[in-house]
Amino acid sequence: MQDYFIGRQPIVNTNKDIFAYELLYRDSLKNFVTVNDNRFATSQTIINLFERFGIENVIGDYLGFLNLSGDYILSETIELIPKEKFVIEILEGFSSVDKLITKVLQLKDKDYVFSLDDFVYKKSYHDFTPIINYIDYIKIDVRLADRVEIAKRMDILYKISDKLIAEKVETKEDFEFFKHLGFKYFQGYFFERPTILKTKDLEPNQVGVIKLLNLLNSYASIKKVKELFEAMPDITLRLIKFINSAAFGLKQKINSINQAINLIGYNRLKIWLLILTYADKQNIKKSPVFQTAVIRGKQLEILSENFKDIDKDSAFLVGILSLIDVVIQKPKEELFEQINIDELIKNAVLFKEGKIGTMLLALELDEKNDYLVLIETLSNLGISMETFVESKLKSYAWLQNLLKDI
């Protein structure tokens, strides 16, 4: 079991009654954190909120404000967040404001609610002019705000939004000043410091995640996907907890795997699995081990097309599993004792047996630049060097497209 944390700080109205909670990434009971990777922090916060704590337990009937990284807002994953329960906070510092603006307009058509965080009048107004009238809330840091400038601009600010939030309010004088200006909501130490919530949960089954992604990418039947879930109760529990959260706004609880898969659909299921993987610190884009494994998988899949008696999905899985010992820090033999893996796949990975195993050997020889043995191995398979090189180039191109989407 592992400890998980999430921070929350109330946003109050002029009567100091709770209006909403801002949710914060935390990795311990300390009331501060250094975030080096915004995408990881975003993913971890959402996983913790939806699964490990439950939305109702964290924010109840109140709204939740979520700080989301730029990548997260621009991705499909954003639509996993229930629009009825959350306000999406847009942070400064986007590398592509134009792409953000386009995405926000698309999401506004779907009734998503947005807030501009750390609003600085001149810069923020200039950067976000095309969407400024689509913003629902504006948060202004009272420690950084020029009070004279804000007072002069209140008419213009109210034209943008009448839902102004003064944040980092630390004194009664701060509260009274911005309340007098017409701010409706307030947040800061004057009312309450962030509260750190703590829970325990199981570590995700990394092997199961990889197997499920492979199965989904091969468009396997729901029956096959269901059977794989049934073999991994920890991941099944996570999925059902996730769907039973407020993310889907369901009035009835999910009570079967089949029902869950039908509801979430393959595309969202893949997104969920990728979030889960990323949230547990497997940085796909920066991991050479992961990239080598998926390149091996794709190249074996492509090479398997030369043989009528080889299942290309099995070939892909062999490539993924060929480096699994490095990823999970356990010997392959020990891992295969714990999972129900096909003997053909296991023997190909462990002993380079069969055609898939021989192709895997060829890939490893290529990585070691052992070309004399490589040519002989390919000759025994009836595969030309030209075909081998072409499959390698195609697998690299496939990886680059994959990394663009995750």
Side-chain angles (χ1 to χ4, degrees), residues 68 88 106-107 111 146 173 187 203 216 242-243 263 278 305 332 373-374 402:
L68 298 188
I88 308 303
Q106 291 172 352
L107 292 170
D111 297 323
D146 182 327
E173 193 271 335
Q187 178 181 1
E203 287 283 3
L216 293 168
F242 180 71
I243 298 180
L263 179 64
Y278 194 96
E305 294 172 358
K332 294 187 186 83
V373 183
L374 171 61
L402 174 67

Side-chain angles (χ1 to χ4, degrees), residues 1 84 87 139:
M1 301 292 283
E84 300 82 7
V87 176
K139 297 181 78 171

Side-chain angles (χ1 to χ4, degrees), residues 61-79:
D61 294 329
Y62 299 107
L63 280 175
F65 279 64
L66 277 173
N67 286 299
L68 298 188
S69 66
D71 288 343
Y72 207 98
I73 292 179
L74 294 175
S75 72
E76 294 179 359
T77 313
I78 184 72
E79 296 192 39

Side-chain angles (χ1 to χ4, degrees), residues 137-390:
Y137 297 88
I138 291 179
K139 297 181 78 171
I140 294 177
D141 187 332
V142 304
R143 299 176 307 170
L144 304 177
D146 182 327
R147 293 191 176 189
V148 175
E149 180 77 10
I150 293 294
K152 288 180 180 178
R153 304 291 185 179
M154 282 303 296
D155 289 344
I156 297 175
L157 287 172
Y158 257 100
K159 288 180 182 178
I160 300 172
S161 171
D162 63 349
K163 299 173 183 176
L164 301 177
I165 303 174
E167 61 177 342
K168 308 294 175 61
V169 175
E170 297 185 356
T171 67
K172 181 179 180 181
E173 193 271 335
D174 287 338
F175 172 60
E176 295 294 344
F177 179 86
F178 285 92
K179 177 181 176 181
H180 178 73
L181 282 184
F183 279 65
K184 289 187 176 180
Y185 305 107
F186 309 84
Q187 178 181 1
Y189 288 178
F190 176 64
F191 310 102
E192 185 179 324
R193 289 176 178 268
T195 301
I196 309 300
L197 306 180
K198 174 183 174 182
T199 191
K200 290 182 178 288
D201 201 359
L202 298 170
E203 287 283 3
N205 184 326
Q206 294 171 310
V207 179
V209 170
I210 291 171
K211 288 176 70 178
L212 278 167
L213 282 171
N214 181 57
L215 202 58
L216 293 168
N217 285 330
S218 68
Y219 300 99
S221 66
I222 289 181
K223 181 175 181 294
K224 286 186 177 180
V225 177
K226 173 176 172 287
E227 289 172 352
L228 185 51
F229 267 110
E230 288 175 340
M232 294 177 290
D234 53 342
I235 293 181
T236 298
L237 177 62
R238 286 174 174 273
L239 177 66
I240 291 178
K241 284 173 68 179
F242 180 71
I243 298 180
N244 277 335
S245 74
F248 292 87
L250 298 178
K251 295 182 179 179
Q252 63 181 30
K253 293 294 184 180
I254 296 297
N255 53 32
S256 74
I257 300 301
N258 202 62
Q259 183 186 4
I261 295 171
N262 277 314
L263 179 64
I264 192 171
Y266 276 20
N267 288 334
R268 282 194 171 187
L269 184 54
K270 282 192 278 190
I271 290 171
W272 175 78
L273 288 167
L274 286 170
I275 293 175
L276 183 61
T277 302
Y278 194 96
D280 286 293
K281 300 187 180 180
Q282 290 187 31
N283 190 333
I284 295 172
K285 290 192 173 184
K286 295 181 181 179
S287 170
V289 175
F290 183 88
Q291 292 190 21
T292 300
V294 296
I295 285 174
R296 283 185 180 185
K298 190 62 178 179
Q299 190 172 2
L300 289 176
E301 177 188 287
I302 295 169
L303 289 172
S304 70
E305 294 172 358
N306 294 285
F307 305 96
K308 293 182 179 180
D309 58 341
I310 295 181
D311 177 65
K312 65 179 183 180
D313 296 330
S314 296
F316 188 97
L317 188 54
V318 166
I320 292 292
L321 292 175
S322 66
L323 290 170
I324 196 65
D325 54 328
V326 181
V327 175
I328 67 168
Q329 299 295 300
K330 284 186 178 182
K332 294 187 186 83
E333 294 83 356
E334 182 180 335
L335 172 66
F336 290 160
E337 287 296 321
Q338 298 172 3
I339 61 175
N340 183 22
I341 196 76
D342 185 276
E343 286 295 316
L344 182 149
I345 293 173
K346 181 166 70 173
N347 292 335
V349 173
L350 295 179
F351 311 114
K352 308 297 187 294
E353 290 186 0
K355 291 177 182 176
I356 302 179
T358 305
M359 288 191 294
L360 176 60
L361 173 62
L363 267 57
E364 293 178 353
L365 291 168
D366 181 45
E367 292 166 7
K368 296 174 183 177
N369 298 322
D370 193 345
Y371 295 119
L372 289 178
V373 183
L374 171 61
I375 291 170
E376 181 182 352
T377 302
L378 292 175
S379 177
N380 292 335
L381 285 167
I383 296 174
S384 68
M385 180 58 80
E386 290 77 14
T387 299
F388 182 81
V389 171
E390 183 182 3

Side-chain angles (χ1 to χ4, degrees), residues 285 394-406:
K285 290 192 173 184
K394 286 182 178 179
S395 66
Y396 278 122
W398 174 82
L399 173 65
Q400 293 309 309
N401 287 328
L402 174 67
L403 293 179
K404 290 178 183 177
D405 296 330
I406 59 178

